[in-house]
Amino acid sequence: MVKNNVGELILIATLIFILAPVFILLYVLVYNRRKIKHMEEKEQMKLTFDAEIVKTQLEVQEQTMQNIGADLHDNIGQLLSLSSLTLSSIQLDDLEKAQQKINAAIDLTGRSIKEMRLLGKLLQGDQLLGVGLSEAIYHEINWIEKSGKYQVNYVPEGEMPPSHNLDKDLIIFRILQEVTNNIIKHSFATGINIKLAYTGENMELHVDDNGVGFNADKLAEAQMGMGLKNMRKRAGIVGGEVFIKSQENEGTCISVIIPYP
């Protein structure tokens, strides 16, 4: 009986001795596969993030160029045309009227130069984001107000963080552009309120208008425009969220909350 027990113990010990390395080897193989898969997923997430940032940069640049093109055509082009027309109508036989027209042409030229300087700042969109998100928003608002169709009220609330996260600033700025584009195209609004607030943990952007609005509760995912989907997608890649509040004939409020920095 004792011999049988000893034999069983020896057999069990032998099996453990043989199987233990197999289990250890299997564990190491599974662990390594999971580690490799995790690294691949992490690398894929980084590639996706980098691609989205590059896409966002290109869209900001494209929007900037569209703004500049519109400004050159509608504003500066008109000022220069008026300057040319004024100068060509000068008659030297009436010096008093000639001087008035020269003064008018000088004033128009000065306004054109001022507008060109503003366009120069608009071209430096990346540098503006480097200086700060709030400053970039001021320049975007300046362009919106030039149409004369909108009363824009901008309130930066609280102290901005001492260090900037340029990627997150870019995302927030692009979302702002998408929101204001939607307002201009669809809302029939006359007033826009913009608030940028830093809470110590999050950067919050709130934009509301007094336009026609829509029923956000009944807006199905399939009906949601690409602009709204892009906002949520972009906020999501930096750990943020977008909230939409709207009712028909009561305007729309869009809030963006992103961990910062």
Side-chain angles (χ1 to χ4, degrees):
M1 184 72 178
V2 175
K3 287 183 178 180
N4 289 339
N5 288 339
V6 171
E8 288 176 0
L9 288 173
I10 292 172
L11 180 61
I12 293 170
T14 303
L15 287 173
I16 292 173
F17 182 76
I18 293 171
L19 293 176
V22 175
F23 283 117
I24 292 171
L25 181 61
L26 287 173
Y27 175 80
V28 170
L29 287 173
V30 171
Y31 173 78
N32 284 338
R33 284 182 181 177
R34 287 181 178 176
K35 186 177 180 181
I36 290 169
K37 185 179 179 182
H38 176 71
M39 290 176 65
E40 288 175 348
E41 289 175 349
K42 191 175 179 180
E43 183 64 25
Q44 185 59 46
M45 288 175 63
K46 185 178 183 303
L47 290 173
T48 302
F49 176 81
D50 291 343
E52 191 64 37
I53 290 296
V54 170
K55 182 183 176 183
T56 304
Q57 288 174 332
L58 292 174
E59 288 181 351
V60 168
Q61 291 171 5
E62 181 183 0
Q63 181 67 53
T64 299
M65 295 309 295
Q66 288 178 0
N67 293 352
I68 289 170
D71 224 19
L72 284 170
H73 180 270
D74 299 335
N75 195 9
I76 296 173
Q78 190 176 44
L79 287 171
L80 292 175
S81 294
L82 285 172
S83 299
S84 176
L85 184 64
T86 302
L87 288 171
S88 65
S89 67
I90 292 175
Q91 295 180 353
L92 295 178
D93 56 348
D94 189 336
L95 294 180
E96 185 177 347
K97 285 186 177 181
Q99 187 61 52
Q100 290 175 354
K101 290 185 177 182
I102 290 170
N103 291 339
I106 291 171
D107 178 62
L108 288 167
T109 303
R111 287 165 61 188
S112 299
I113 292 170
K114 183 180 178 180
E115 292 295 329
M116 288 295 290
R117 285 175 178 164
L118 288 173
L119 279 186
K121 289 183 178 180
L122 195 59
L123 275 169
Q124 298 171 350
D126 293 340
Q127 288 87 337
L128 283 175
L129 283 170
V131 172
L133 176 61
S134 186
E135 183 68 20
I137 291 174
Y138 273 118
H139 284 273
E140 188 71 12
I141 289 169
N142 179 68
W143 178 81
I144 295 170
E145 288 181 324
K146 280 184 178 180
S147 67
K149 297 179 180 179
Y150 306 98
Q151 179 67 42
V152 184
N153 179 40
Y154 172 48
V155 179
E157 212 172 75
E159 288 189 18
M160 290 295 110
S163 59
H164 305 294
N165 186 315
L166 292 179
D167 288 340
K168 291 182 178 180
D169 285 354
L170 180 68
I171 293 291
I172 295 169
F173 185 69
R174 179 55 188 158
I175 290 175
L176 172 67
Q177 286 185 326
E178 290 183 297
V179 172
T180 54
N181 278 341
N182 282 343
I183 292 172
I184 291 168
K185 290 178 181 178
H186 307 298
S187 76
F188 298 97
T190 57
I192 303 171
N193 295 310
I194 300 172
K195 182 173 77 172
L196 183 70
Y198 177 60
T199 66
E201 295 180 353
N202 300 316
M203 188 72 79
E204 298 184 5
L205 175 70
H206 304 276
V207 184
D208 66 77
D209 65 68
N210 62 352
V212 295
F214 56 91
N215 194 325
D217 295 331
K218 293 183 179 180
L219 189 66
E221 185 70 20
Q223 296 175 300
M224 191 173 291
M226 287 304 296
L228 295 176
K229 289 180 180 178
N230 282 337
M231 291 176 207
R232 286 180 166 163
K233 176 184 175 183
R234 288 192 167 122
I237 68 171
V238 288
E241 292 183 280
V242 174
F243 301 94
I244 301 167
K245 183 180 179 182
S246 184
Q247 289 293 332
E248 293 178 5
N249 302 315
E250 293 185 13
T252 300
C253 178
I254 293 183
S255 299
V256 184
I257 300 175
I258 289 177
Y260 203 95

